[in-house]
Amino acid sequence: MKTLVVLIGPTGVGKTELSLSLAEHLQCPILNADSRQIFKDIEIGTAAPTADELARVKHYFVHTLPLDGYYSAAQYEEDVLNILGEVFAEGDVAIMSGGSMMYVDAVTKGIDDIPTVDDEVRSLIAHRLATEGLDPLLAELKILDPSYYEIVDHHNHKRVVHALEICYMTGATYSSLRVNKVKERPFRIIKFGLMRERASLFSRINRRVDMMMQQGFMDEAQRVYHLRHLNSLNTVGYKELFNVIDGTWELPMAVERIKKNTRVYAKKQMTWYKRDEDIHWLNADTMNVDAMLQTICAELNT
């Protein structure tokens, strides 16, 4: 049976090494499900697979887009399904691993058939966000789509902007196009979630940020600073270091904020995952990689 093994979990939990070991054991590729690692030139800040790790196993969706490239969960769904058609023509198993919840859901559950936003509308809303700020856009969303306004995170500018883009593009409400119907896939999907105790996870996150700084994260941020307005760089780590470059923050403060904001993001990821009853959880604090591989392979053989 053709099977997609999905390995998810919060940032810093240890998905990379497990996915590499599993892919080597099953002799199959890894489809990366991290919405930032897909971009080029930001390897350190996104904790992307290293050159050695990429040499161990064939990866898809790593370092494939320029920083100014546009990509979406809907495009990811389409691209993954096309690649899986090729992978399953040669083998029975593929692995998808990453922490971008919307990307994982797009493939495993399907995404609503919402039109792609054209460049003119995207530029218009982006200009308004840059010049007017988020509050006027929220006020307009409340008028155009009051139902979505009630449920959207008012601090998440990406979702507010996208909803307005769809309203402008279609003349319909964004909420009316969100049917949230799970799509059937022509392959089996088995989800495994990697978890740790909170103190253990947070300690790993803190250490990883320190390691990223030692690897040259600040230099990397300086190299892309002139592109700081791009959505690809609107993410934890770069935003804080850009404040250092701007002269508004000291570096030690920025490093602590990166750690804190990464921990907050990890908690959001776990909250999202808890809604999915199909995930088989593996505790990385009590199981080594070999034990986790045995558990996964046993489930594959059922």
Side-chain angles (χ1 to χ4, degrees):
M1 180 182 296
K2 306 300 183 182
T3 303
L4 177 64
V5 178
V6 181
L7 180 61
I8 55 182
T11 184
V13 75
K15 298 184 295 296
T16 298
E17 181 53 41
L18 178 57
S19 66
L20 287 166
S21 298
L22 182 61
E24 289 173 328
H25 180 78
L26 297 174
Q27 297 184 320
C28 69
I30 295 174
L31 282 68
N32 179 51
D34 186 297
S35 65
R36 288 299 181 264
Q37 291 179 0
I38 198 169
F39 291 102
K40 301 175 182 178
D41 302 321
I42 50 174
E43 292 86 357
I44 297 174
T46 61
T50 65
D52 289 342
E53 290 168 341
L54 292 173
R56 286 173 58 183
V57 173
K58 181 175 178 59
H59 282 70
Y60 293 92
F61 305 105
V62 177
H63 308 159
T64 57
L65 280 182
L67 289 173
D68 60 354
Y70 175 76
Y71 206 65
S72 66
Q75 185 65 54
Y76 182 75
E77 175 191 16
E78 180 180 346
D79 290 345
V80 167
L81 293 179
N82 287 334
I83 287 173
L84 285 178
E86 299 173 6
V87 171
F88 287 150
E90 300 180 359
D92 293 332
V93 184
I95 296 170
M96 184 169 69
S97 178
S100 294
M101 298 87 77
M102 288 292 292
Y103 277 33
V104 172
D105 280 0
V107 173
T108 60
K109 300 178 181 179
I111 202 163
D112 295 328
D113 294 322
I114 294 173
T116 300
V117 179
D118 64 36
D119 291 340
E120 183 179 354
V121 171
R122 183 176 298 114
S123 297
L124 172 63
I125 304 297
H127 176 73
R128 289 191 55 198
L129 177 65
T131 57
E132 302 174 27
L134 186 59
D135 287 344
L137 299 185
L138 270 171
E140 184 170 3
L141 181 62
K142 186 175 183 180
I143 296 171
L144 295 178
D145 192 349
S147 296
Y148 190 66
Y149 172 85
E150 291 299 325
I151 62 173
V152 70
D153 179 356
H154 290 185
H155 300 289
N156 190 324
H157 75 275
K158 288 189 289 186
R159 294 187 181 177
V160 172
V161 163
H162 184 58
L164 272 180
E165 290 172 341
I166 297 302
C167 291
Y168 275 45
M169 277 284 298
T170 65
T173 62
Y174 179 55
S175 55
S176 69
L177 300 174
R178 299 173 71 241
V179 296
N180 295 322
K181 181 179 180 180
V182 176
K183 296 179 181 178
E184 294 293 328
R185 299 301 191 199
F187 48 83
R188 179 173 61 159
I189 298 172
I190 303 180
K191 299 178 184 177
F192 293 94
L194 198 57
M195 63 176 292
R196 294 180 185 270
E197 295 299 323
R198 177 174 291 194
S200 172
L201 176 63
F202 285 3
S203 178
R204 284 175 59 90
I205 288 172
N206 293 340
R207 292 198 304 272
R208 188 172 78 168
V209 172
D210 288 333
M211 183 178 298
M212 289 160 64
M213 296 306 301
Q214 294 170 9
Q215 292 170 338
F217 190 10
M218 189 66 199
D219 291 337
E220 184 175 86
Q222 289 175 327
R223 287 196 299 271
V224 299
Y225 175 71
H226 64 290
L227 301 172
R228 61 192 181 280
H229 59 283
L230 296 176
N231 182 57
S232 57
L233 295 171
N234 183 29
T235 189
V236 174
Y238 295 96
K239 293 189 293 185
E240 292 84 355
L241 293 183
F242 290 160
N243 284 337
V244 176
I245 300 171
D246 285 335
T248 56
W249 286 7
E250 295 294 329
L251 182 58
M253 174 184 174
V255 171
E256 291 307 309
R257 287 291 182 89
I258 294 172
K259 293 177 180 178
K260 177 182 178 181
N261 291 336
T262 304
R263 296 193 301 264
V264 169
Y265 180 60
K267 289 190 286 186
K268 288 181 178 179
Q269 288 174 301
M270 288 305 299
T271 298
W272 181 286
Y273 297 139
K274 286 178 181 177
R275 302 181 301 180
D276 192 337
E277 297 179 354
D278 294 330
I279 299 175
H280 304 267
W281 287 103
L282 306 171
N283 190 330
D285 285 327
T286 59
M287 302 174 69
N288 59 30
V289 171
D290 288 339
M292 288 188 282
L293 288 179
Q294 290 179 6
T295 301
I296 293 172
C297 291
E299 186 66 31
L300 284 173
N301 292 327
T302 58

